[in-house]
């Protein structure tokens, strides 16, 4: 019960974050969406051994988190469940790639170790950029930006309604869980023998609730097309933000800045 209430609270917190008034929040959502997509594409395109060049890409999410007034620690707290799964993807690399790359002290650093860290950082950076987009852009304006990119209306509407009615689903689960706990006092959780009937009842209740919501939408004029929030025109600030970020990502991808700076200092 407490976990469900906590999940509902986190959804409300994300909406409150997106309703902020920082310079990052005021940027055009289409510009932020394009920059985020370009950033993720640049991050995942780094070679598996190019760890030093990849580290520079952390500057984008960290700097924008500061500009938006959102603590970086909050991002890791919200993504605490997903991050271990992303990091676990590269754990097998040291066992598959034994190519020696360098020696640190008396230890040999293999290609599998470097590629494991590189793969983990790619996932972490991509999640940070995605969270930054969601935390500074409301779902309505984000869906409006997707429609400006000519994403099919049915997909955008499904995305919006799914996000909006996750809370409704959690509310139904909360009611059913509370009812079950009242019928089985002292029992922790739901017994495995009741899982099938519980999920079946949840499906039926969800279908009834969805039908009622759909009729409510029809009464309010819904005819298969959802009218999203209006997105202001992309001004000079949005164009400059997009251009500067994309050029910076391209330079970081093509030039190994840490290696370049290191060679200059060595000279």
């Amino acid at each position: 019960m407490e976990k469900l209430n906590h999940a509902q609270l986190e959804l409300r917190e994300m909406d409150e974050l997106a309703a902020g008034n920082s310079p990052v929040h005021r940027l055009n959502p289409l510009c932020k969406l394009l920059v985020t997509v370009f950033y993720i594409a640049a991050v995942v395109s780094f070679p598996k051994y190019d760890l030093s060049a990849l580290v520079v890409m952390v500057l984008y999410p960290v700097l924008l988190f500061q500009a938006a007034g959102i603590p970086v620690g909050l991002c890791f707290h919200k993504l605490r469940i997903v991050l271990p799964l992303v990091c676990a993807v590269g754990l097998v690399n040291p066992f598959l790639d034994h190519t020696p790359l360098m020696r640190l002290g008396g230890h040999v650093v293999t290609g599998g170790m470097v590629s494991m860290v590189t793969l983990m950082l790619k996932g972490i950076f991509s999640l940070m950029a995605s969270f930054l987009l969601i935390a500074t852009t409301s779902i309505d304006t984000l869906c409006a930006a997707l429609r400006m990119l000519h994403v099919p209306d049915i997909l955008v509407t499904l995305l919006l309604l799914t996000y909006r009615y996750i809370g409704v689903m959690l509310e139904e689960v909360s009611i059913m869980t509370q009812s079950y706990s009242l019928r089985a006092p002292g029992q922790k959780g739901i017994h495995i023998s009741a899982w099938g009937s519980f999920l079946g009842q949840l499906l039926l209740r969800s279908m009834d609730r969805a039908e009622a919501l759909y009729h409510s939408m029809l009464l309010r004029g819904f005819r298969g097309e959802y009218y999203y929030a209006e997105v202001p025109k992309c001004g000079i600030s949005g164009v400059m933000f997009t251009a500067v970020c994309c050029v910076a990502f391209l330079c970081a991808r093509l030039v190994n800045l840490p290696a370049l700076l290191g060679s200059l200092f060595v000279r």
Side-chain angles (χ1 to χ4, degrees):
M1 188 69 180
E2 293 180 359
K3 292 182 178 180
L4 293 175
N5 293 333
H6 184 66
Q8 292 174 324
L9 179 61
E10 288 200 349
L11 283 176
R12 288 195 295 269
E13 288 177 352
M14 290 302 299
D15 289 334
E16 292 174 359
L17 284 176
N21 194 30
S22 71
V24 182
H25 286 83
R26 292 193 294 269
L27 285 171
N28 187 282
L30 179 59
C31 297
K32 288 187 284 186
L33 177 61
L34 292 176
V35 169
T36 303
V37 172
F38 194 85
Y39 174 82
I40 295 176
V43 165
V44 299
S45 67
F46 275 84
K48 61 181 179 179
Y49 297 147
D50 206 357
L51 178 59
S52 59
L54 176 63
V55 173
V56 179
M57 299 298 287
V58 75
L59 293 176
Y60 166 74
V62 170
L63 292 177
L64 261 70
F65 272 122
Q66 297 300 319
I70 301 174
V72 179
L74 180 63
C75 169
F76 290 106
H77 175 71
K78 296 291 187 182
L79 300 174
R80 62 190 179 278
I81 299 177
V82 183
L83 283 174
L85 299 177
V86 171
C87 294
V89 173
L91 291 179
V92 298
N93 285 25
F95 302 101
L96 301 177
D97 187 354
H98 301 282
T99 305
L101 294 182
M102 65 183 75
R103 183 178 293 274
L104 293 177
H107 302 280
V108 177
V109 179
T110 64
M113 298 177 183
V114 176
S115 63
M116 176 188 68
V117 178
T118 301
L119 187 59
M120 289 180 177
L121 289 181
K122 286 181 180 181
I124 292 172
F125 293 168
S126 299
L127 285 176
M128 290 177 67
S130 302
F131 179 84
L132 177 66
L133 175 65
I134 298 173
T136 58
T137 313
S138 66
I139 187 65
D140 294 304
T141 55
L142 182 60
C143 288
L146 290 173
R147 285 297 299 139
M148 293 175 67
L149 294 176
H150 300 288
V151 176
D153 182 66
I154 182 66
L155 296 180
V156 179
T157 302
L158 284 174
L159 172 64
L160 177 64
L161 295 181
T162 301
Y163 181 87
R164 285 300 182 196
Y165 296 115
I166 286 178
V168 177
M169 176 72 73
L170 291 175
E171 182 181 348
E172 292 293 334
V173 175
S174 177
I175 294 173
M176 293 179 61
T177 304
Q178 186 176 13
S179 301
Y180 181 88
S181 62
L182 291 174
R183 291 179 174 86
Q187 180 177 313
K188 293 184 178 179
I190 300 173
H191 195 268
I192 189 172
S193 61
W195 285 5
S197 59
F198 186 90
L199 292 176
Q201 287 294 325
L202 177 60
L203 176 61
L204 294 176
R205 291 172 66 93
S206 300
M207 292 174 63
D208 290 338
R209 191 69 177 269
E211 190 72 19
L213 290 171
Y214 179 66
H215 286 302
S216 299
M217 293 171 64
L218 292 178
L219 292 174
R220 288 170 173 81
F222 180 74
R223 294 296 180 269
E225 182 177 359
Y226 188 89
Y227 295 97
Y228 308 98
E230 293 185 3
V231 176
K233 292 184 178 180
C234 188
I236 297 178
S237 60
V239 174
M240 291 296 296
F241 170 76
T242 306
V244 170
C245 288
C246 290
V247 171
F249 300 157
L250 189 61
C251 291
R253 174 63 184 86
L254 298 177
V255 180
N256 191 331
L257 295 179
L260 180 61
L261 293 175
S263 63
L264 292 177
F265 281 113
V266 169
R267 292 178 183 177

